[in-house]
Amino acid sequence: MNEHMFFTALDMLGTFAFAISGAVAARQKRLDLFGVLSIAYIVACGGGIMRDVAIGAIPPAGLSDWRYLAVAVLASLLTIACYPLVKRMTNPVQLFDALGLGFFAVFGAHKSLVYGHNIEVAVMLGVTAAVGGGVLRDVLLNRTPLILRKEIYASAALVAAVIQVLGDTFAWPQQWVPWVGIVICFALRYLSLSYRWNLPRFSDGPG
Amino acid sequence: MNEHMFFTALDMLGTFAFAISGAVAARQKRLDLFGVLSIAYIVACGGGIMRDVAIGAIPPAGLSDWRYLAVAVLASLLTIACYPLVKRMTNPVQLFDALGLGFFAVFGAHKSLVYGHNIEVAVMLGVTAAVGGGVLRDVLLNRTPLILRKEIYASAALVAAVIQVLGDTFAWPQQWVPWVGIVICFALRYLSLSYRWNLPRFSDGPG
Amino acid sequence: MNEHMFFTALDMLGTFAFAISGAVAARQKRLDLFGVLSIAYIVACGGGIMRDVAIGAIPPAGLSDWRYLAVAVLASLLTIACYPLVKRMTNPVQLFDALGLGFFAVFGAHKSLVYGHNIEVAVMLGVTAAVGGGVLRDVLLNRTPLILRKEIYASAALVAAVIQVLGDTFAWPQQWVPWVGIVICFALRYLSLSYRWNLPRFSDGPG
């Protein structure tokens, strides 16, 4: 597997995880079949489309490459078929969102560098690609945006994007650098949910 | 009338219909004159600007071609002048939204093909152009997004976009293909509203 | 100071003012440190990124030029450090938003003209750059969007953008034209807040 295929595979895994989080959230809002498919696709591809527009990758891969749509549809149908199973999970939207977060942060940062942009663009768009789809999901479905929650969220994506940019800059071996970022991102996010970790907050008076 | 002029005319009709839906929604929220004009313009041109950014049509026509702004302003002023009439209609926002939906789905799909993109891009951006302005309207005005409603909505736009893409691909006569898409889209949307048609939904337990 | 540096300085001042408005709004919602920084950056750079995407300035300056990020971070840290002071102000979010409004309207209009676009694009994107970041702030933080308020808001940005476009078109001296727009915009906005000025509204019956 060459490097391009490897990163495309990471992107597909992120797409799959985010599509599940979108399908579950849409299903919880009792949308119809087309609504579930639409939200799953928007969550899965929205962040990547923002990234591609900003780096000048026109048309965005999420629109022009049929595999993204296929993965999003497949993930939605699986979610619907296995919904009784999904429903028993603790907060499946946040779980699959946390999975997709790392994949998209790493891939977004890498793709921005491949397009010749500087490391700031790569880090910012890694985070944007990672959190963009989830923000669209929460805004469209009138959910409280995850970025407003108290736990570590976008900062976990930031860590993954920075690790990937370091890896690309110093030519660290690409077979393990992305996985380090993905695992650390997921661990940070998931442990912060489980143990209610927080970044420093401010608590003097009624704000 | 040549083909380019014909499609531009379709786009202007869609702009007009969406601007009315935006002006009515803004008027219902008691915005001032400038607020009504702004929301009408955003609804009328927002979806098309998303489409143009994604296909690389820079600057977007909604920003650079004065006729879109003029049509949106005209539609707003007419809405304000005839508001007692509009108010007596059953759900004017959804009525004019349903009209604009088909025009924009057809034109969005066609324009994407003209810019040399593949049929998936054309279908996706036809739907995006059709529903984008309405989503912005609902998010900005704190309305429940139409895509969350139970009736057929984005799927009607999808049908129109697919018909137009088929027409362009197989060189069906352009004087009637767009109208077939537009009429079917409007009929699907409007009948689903009137008779409460639904796509399959899921109703087991509290989701 | 040459003209390019002068306009960059205006843009940085707008970035600084908007970042403070974002940091205060995020702080009021009790977000953590990273949340405050994120919202401050999005408010400060969101409108400019929309403008740059629409004029084809890829990658957007807000992403590729580290100074915007640095200014947003600095403004956030100052806001946090001086929060007891900020809290005593009357509506600091609207105050700093009003300050940024004029800077971004002027700079957005000017930059669009520099990129070779027509005066309509320049005016529309001046307004978009000016109100875009604030709209994102209000949507993400579930605040009532300022554009829904009754006072003069986007119309003040429109005045500033039109003055700048007139200045660029007729080659009026650039050392004072932008300041006229900025001061009029701030005065319109701030006086309308203080004295509850309104544009004509509609008050017949329940809408």
Side-chain angles (χ1 to χ4, degrees), chain B residues 27-34 36 39 41 53 58-60 62-66 69 80 83 87 139-142, chain C residues 53-56 117-118 120-121 124-125 135 139 145 148 150 154-155 158 199-207:
Chain B
R27 180 69 185 69
Q28 287 173 344
K29 286 273 182 182
R30 305 182 148 277
L31 298 201
D32 62 28
L33 178 60
F34 193 79
V36 171
I39 298 291
Y41 173 79
V53 165
I58 297 294
L63 291 170
S64 61
D65 184 337
W66 64 272
L69 181 59
I80 291 169
Y83 196 69
K87 226 165 77 175
V139 168
L140 290 176
L141 295 181
N142 282 333
Chain C
V53 165
I55 62 176
H117 297 298
N118 67 29
E120 186 190 339
V121 173
M124 301 306 273
L125 289 180
V135 167
V139 167
L148 293 190
K150 301 303 182 207
S155 32
L158 179 66
L199 284 177
R201 248 179 310 159
F202 315 100
S203 52
D204 54 342

Side-chain angles (χ1 to χ4, degrees), chain C residues 1 3 12 16 22 24-25 28 35 41 48 53 69 90 103 105 125-126 129 134 165 175 178 182 190 206:
Chain C
M1 186 150 83
E3 193 179 305
M12 292 293 163
F16 191 77
V24 176
Q28 286 173 343
Y41 173 78
V53 165
L69 182 59
T90 312
F103 285 107
L125 289 180
V165 167
Q175 63 269 36
I182 290 162
Y190 204 66

Side-chain angles (χ1 to χ4, degrees), chain B residues 95-111:
Chain B
L95 171 66
F96 288 101
D97 189 278
L99 270 172
L101 206 60
F103 285 107
F104 276 11
V106 160
F107 182 77
H110 179 72
K111 184 167 185 178

Side-chain angles (χ1 to χ4, degrees), chain A residues 27-36 38-39 41-42 49 53 58-69 80 83-84 87 139-142, chain B residues 53-56 117-118 120-121 124-125 127-128 135 139 143-145 147-152 154-155 158 198-207:
Chain A
R27 180 70 184 70
Q28 285 172 344
K29 287 272 181 183
R30 305 183 147 278
L31 297 201
D32 62 27
L33 177 61
F34 192 78
V36 171
S38 303
I39 297 291
Y41 173 77
I42 290 170
I49 290 173
V53 164
I58 299 292
L63 291 169
S64 61
D65 184 336
W66 63 271
R67 293 174 299 176
Y68 292 93
L69 182 58
I80 292 169
Y83 196 69
K87 227 166 74 176
V139 168
L140 290 176
L141 295 181
N142 282 333
Chain B
V53 165
I55 63 176
H117 298 298
N118 67 30
E120 186 191 340
V121 173
M124 300 307 271
L125 288 180
V127 176
T128 302
V135 167
V139 168
R143 296 164 53 93
T144 307
I147 53 164
L148 292 192
R149 303 295 190 86
K150 302 301 183 211
E151 313 90 12
I152 290 170
S155 33
L158 179 67
N198 295 310
L199 286 176
R201 251 180 309 158
F202 315 100
S203 52
D204 54 340

